Amino acid sequence: MDRMINTVRHYSWGSATAIPELAGVEPDGTPQAELWMGAHPAAPSLVRRQGEPQPLDRAIEDRPETELGEPVLRRFGPRLPFLLKLLAAEAPLSLQVHPDLAGAAAGFKRENGQGIPLDAPHRNYRDGNHKPEMIVALGSFEGLCGFRTARDCAGLLSALHLDRMDQYCATLRSVPEESALRQVFSAFLAEGPALVDDVTRAVAREARTVGPYQAAFAGYDSIARAHPSDSGLLPALMLNHFRLAPGEGLFLGAGIPHAYIRGLGVEVMAGSDNVLRCGLTSKHVDSEELLRVIAFSAAPVRTLRPTSTDSGEEVFATPVDDFRLSVVRPGPHREAVTLDFAAPQILLCTAGTVSVIGPKGEIALSAGSSVYAPAGEPVTVAGNGTVYRATVDVSFP
């Protein structure tokens, strides 16, 4: 078991205060968007090996079976299959979608065959893996996720009171839903700046008007202010607007368009860099590939709440085995929780003070700090606080 030294990622959309306030340190004035915990080669955490700090990806490379355990090594190869983050958004992120596993493998092979460099700005697939992810709110967390029904899309577009939207409303009301969503989304990707500017003014007006879409329009107004004249505002109108309460989670599978607007949360994802952007960004947008990847099926936002287990964990159920996220809450009137698993695990304290006790010692954690334990090393969490635990679901066949 090792205390982790983690890297803060400074993206323009990040909050300058949220992560420092959680950790109880002074802000440095820069946007601290994400705190990465894991073995991603772009910013691996440091752990101590043979008395010296070593990047976690290198430690795994040196002793894959010891670090990962045989089940994880067999299933995923010599790599940590997940990345854990603290994510702090002060401004909206890009509107994006992730491929499924088969699509990622095919796209990666295709672009390799075309000789596109891995770091090329126009590259879509930087590896052959999928990228399911989950966010759990630490405060109020706002975003967009998945398509509204065609009827609801038409209702929201009508509420903008723009004549240019009439044709799209007609399509949404008269064409079978999946086809209607695809047609309107495709048309929005191709629209010019005139409609974007009209919509920008309309959402600002409707955000101040009481009505069924007022909260959503306030979110779209935030997006328009952060990304002026960006055509991604138009397809964003078709997505469900959501707010998570503290402790609620949201799972994002392949093909689901989404964008985070603001908030602080714990995020866990499969180890991949495959992101296809739909807009709200200055980065590459490949409309043709997007239309192959996006699932044009309407569905409500399904928030997740954890389920208590006999071990003292509260587990967020997800349909993937790349990661398993749970929370433990030791306290003065609750027993310490022992976590013994045949997979590596990362424990992140988000509130209070806890002790993590392993076979070779004890590490005290306060909010914002974390430990890594290799496969098969049991740890016990005691004290008074909240700890998020990321590991791998080893119940796979």
Side-chain angles (χ1 to χ4, degrees):
M1 181 177 68
D2 297 272
R3 183 183 296 276
M4 305 179 78
I5 301 173
N6 302 310
T7 298
V8 173
R9 307 290 276 181
H10 300 276
Y11 305 134
S12 60
W13 49 262
S15 168
T17 59
I19 292 176
E21 285 179 358
L22 181 139
V25 299
E26 286 295 320
D28 63 9
T30 63
Q32 298 189 27
E34 297 179 342
L35 179 70
W36 284 20
M37 289 155 280
H40 193 291
S45 300
L46 298 180
V47 295
R48 192 165 290 276
R49 292 291 182 271
Q50 289 79 48
E52 297 293 331
Q54 184 177 19
L56 182 54
D57 58 340
R58 189 173 305 164
I60 291 171
E61 181 182 320
D62 290 345
R63 303 192 310 165
E65 187 162 353
T66 299
E67 298 290 344
L68 301 176
E70 192 277 333
V72 175
L73 180 60
R74 172 169 39 86
R75 174 73 171 83
F76 295 101
R79 63 182 181 88
L80 189 68
F82 66 87
L83 177 65
L84 183 66
K85 300 179 181 180
L86 273 176
L87 182 146
E90 184 68 26
L93 283 66
S94 63
L95 182 61
Q96 58 188 254
V97 68
H98 307 301
D100 63 15
L101 190 56
F108 184 59
K109 181 179 180 180
R110 181 174 63 251
E111 293 187 341
N112 283 345
Q114 293 168 347
I116 303 174
L118 283 176
D119 59 354
H122 64 288
R123 176 136 190 166
N124 292 315
Y125 298 97
R126 303 185 186 278
D127 53 69
N129 199 17
H130 64 168
K131 194 183 178 184
E133 59 188 46
M134 181 168 61
I135 187 79
V136 176
L138 295 181
S140 177
F141 196 96
E142 182 183 2
L144 307 174
C145 175
F147 282 104
R148 300 172 182 273
T149 64
R151 178 183 294 274
D152 193 31
C153 280
L156 183 139
L157 297 181
S158 293
L160 292 171
H161 305 292
L162 296 173
D163 291 343
R164 286 283 307 280
M165 289 297 180
D166 290 349
Q167 59 180 315
Y168 298 122
C169 291
T171 298
L172 290 163
R173 287 171 174 148
S174 62
V175 174
E177 185 163 80
E178 184 174 331
S179 296
L181 294 174
R182 178 182 289 273
Q183 288 179 36
V184 174
F185 190 92
S186 303
F188 277 170
L189 289 176
E191 273 284 2
L195 183 57
V196 176
D197 292 343
D198 287 345
V199 169
T200 296
R201 288 187 289 270
V203 296
R205 180 188 66 241
E206 297 304 322
R208 300 188 300 269
T209 304
V210 175
Y213 297 107
Q214 184 177 18
F217 283 136
Y220 297 129
D221 185 40
S222 296
I223 289 172
R225 292 173 185 273
H227 300 278
S229 301
D230 192 308
S231 60
L233 176 63
L234 303 181
L237 298 172
M238 302 180 68
L239 305 189
N240 296 302
H241 176 260
F242 70 86
R243 288 184 189 273
L244 299 178
E248 291 183 333
L250 183 68
F251 175 78
L252 296 160
I256 307 301
H258 60 278
Y260 298 148
I261 295 176
R262 63 172 63 84
L264 175 67
V266 174
E267 186 180 41
V268 63
M269 59 182 58
S272 172
D273 289 324
N274 287 326
V275 178
L276 292 158
R277 293 174 175 85
C278 316
L280 312 180
T281 180
S282 59
K283 295 182 179 180
H284 176 62
V285 175
D286 185 336
S287 298
E288 183 177 345
E289 188 65 16
L290 270 174
L291 297 177
R292 280 201 291 263
V293 169
I294 290 179
F296 287 97
S297 55
V301 175
R302 295 185 175 91
T303 57
L304 297 176
R305 296 181 182 274
T307 301
S308 297
T309 67
D310 294 339
S311 68
E313 287 183 281
E314 301 171 41
V315 180
F316 292 91
T318 64
V320 298
D321 53 21
D322 307 71
F323 57 77
R324 176 183 183 273
L325 188 70
S326 61
V327 59
V328 296
R329 308 177 196 274
H333 305 295
R334 293 188 294 273
E335 293 183 1
V337 179
T338 297
L339 305 169
D340 190 0
F341 219 48
Q345 54 186 321
I346 295 174
L347 306 180
L348 166 66
C349 181
T350 60
T353 303
V354 301
S355 293
V356 183
I357 305 157
K360 298 179 181 179
E362 178 177 334
I363 296 176
L365 294 183
S366 56
S369 56
S370 60
V371 298
Y372 164 82
E377 184 171 314
V379 297
T380 298
V381 183
N384 187 15
T386 302
V387 174
Y388 282 85
R389 178 201 193 203
T391 184
V392 184
D393 185 349
V394 293
S395 63
F396 46 77

